[in-house]
Amino acid sequence: MTHCPYCSKELQSLGAVVKATQLLTPELGWSSIQEIEETLEYYCPECGSTLDFDRASALADAMIDSYEKGGDER
């Protein structure tokens, strides 16, 4: 998957809905995210449509690999 199946825009980034851990205290309010526990779904940042999880997850892995290698390999 390189393009959104709904709006046909190239997926240069992905939105992710995640389950995360934060702390809440009366003195400080909500903390920053302590840990991302799991990704619940991916979505197209352009149109907001939910993407097929397995295909978007593979694209996310490729984006992470490219980032870690310091280049734009898709």
Side-chain angles (χ1 to χ4, degrees), residues 34-50:
Q34 302 293 310
E35 179 180 348
I36 294 177
E37 296 179 23
E38 70 180 294
T39 301
L40 303 175
E41 69 181 41
Y42 292 99
Y43 65 91
C44 172
E46 292 291 326
C47 69
S49 295
T50 300

Side-chain angles (χ1 to χ4, degrees), residues 6-69:
Y6 302 100
C7 71
S8 300
K9 302 266 176 129
E10 184 178 4
L11 291 167
Q12 296 186 14
S13 61
L14 289 173
V17 177
V18 298
K19 179 178 175 182
T21 302
Q22 290 181 287
L23 299 175
L24 174 63
T25 64
E27 299 81 25
L28 301 174
W30 286 105
S31 70
S32 60
I33 293 174
Q34 302 293 310
E35 179 180 348
I36 294 177
E37 296 179 23
E38 70 180 294
T39 301
L40 303 175
E41 69 181 41
Y42 292 99
Y43 65 91
C44 172
E46 292 291 326
C47 69
S49 295
T50 300
L51 301 171
D52 175 86
F53 187 86
D54 292 334
R55 294 178 71 199
S57 183
L59 178 58
D61 290 343
M63 288 180 175
I64 291 167
D65 287 344
S66 177
Y67 171 77
E68 290 175 347
K69 290 177 183 175

